[in-house]
Amino acid sequence: MSRVASFFAAVLITVASVPLVATGTAGAAGLDLTCTPPSSASLLFDPPATNSPQNMTLTVSRQYGPCVSATHPDITSGRSTATGATTGATCLSLLGANALTITITWNTGQTSVLSGNNVSSLSGVTLTVVTTGTVTSGVFAGATFVHTIVYPSTNILLCNLGLGSLSGLYGQVVLEIITP
């Protein structure tokens, strides 16, 4: 995978093009934390992405909440942001798989560092990014996680067809942290 595609996938984080539904409740079968919509993510492209390679700055912001945790009931929300520059990026750079690290700052001031691999796929006008891995430090260290973002946008398809540009994506997030 190209460096550009890896960067896009790393900045994106984000299962199917169906409504997101949590698969359980906190505390059930090792599920320790669940954050569900209206948890959200935004991904902004400057300048807007096209199907022609160009340099751009990417900014991703994620808001988690409501969150419910069996072992840390004081954690009810969190946030994560990242900005980076890339060269030769196109709309198709959104697709692929790569390694990813996400640092979440919780409403308590504590942090969790999630390290794993993500896979981005396009189905019609919906980009889905699923990241799985391990919490490597901070709160929930040693647990595994599934982080899913679904970005619906007709501009994704139009951009890939060369019929428009893509200035940003807005989607819903589901985060599940599973303790061993």
Side-chain angles (χ1 to χ4, degrees):
M1 170 180 292
S2 75
R3 197 173 118 178
V4 171
S6 293
F7 181 79
F8 261 114
V11 172
L12 284 175
I13 354 213
T14 345
V15 231
S17 58
V18 296
L20 294 173
V21 178
T23 58
T25 59
L31 185 59
D32 190 349
L33 175 113
T34 304
C35 300
T36 57
S39 294
S40 63
S42 68
L43 177 62
L44 304 176
F45 306 92
D46 184 23
T50 67
N51 71 347
S52 298
Q54 63 180 334
N55 299 341
M56 68 178 71
T57 299
L58 304 161
T59 302
V60 65
S61 298
R62 298 172 208 91
Q63 301 297 320
Y64 303 95
C67 300
V68 177
S69 171
T71 60
H72 299 294
D74 51 333
I75 293 179
T76 58
S77 64
R79 60 182 162 70
S80 175
T81 60
T83 299
T86 189
T87 59
T90 68
C91 296
L92 290 174
S93 300
L94 295 170
L95 304 176
N98 69 289
L100 176 69
T101 299
I102 306 165
T103 300
I104 299 174
T105 302
W106 302 108
N107 62 292
T108 59
Q110 299 166 296
T111 60
S112 294
V113 177
L114 287 60
S115 299
N117 295 295
N118 69 15
V119 176
S120 303
S121 61
L122 185 63
S123 176
V125 299
T126 302
L127 176 69
T128 302
V129 183
V130 179
T131 306
T132 58
T134 303
V135 180
T136 56
S137 66
V139 181
F140 307 109
T144 59
F145 72 89
V146 178
H147 184 286
T148 304
I149 302 177
V150 176
Y151 294 106
S153 173
T154 55
N155 290 338
I156 296 171
L157 182 59
L158 294 173
C159 187
N160 285 326
L161 294 173
L163 301 173
S165 62
L166 187 60
S167 60
L169 293 170
Y170 304 91
Q172 292 188 324
V173 177
V174 171
L175 171 63
E176 295 180 324
I177 295 180
I178 303 99
T179 54

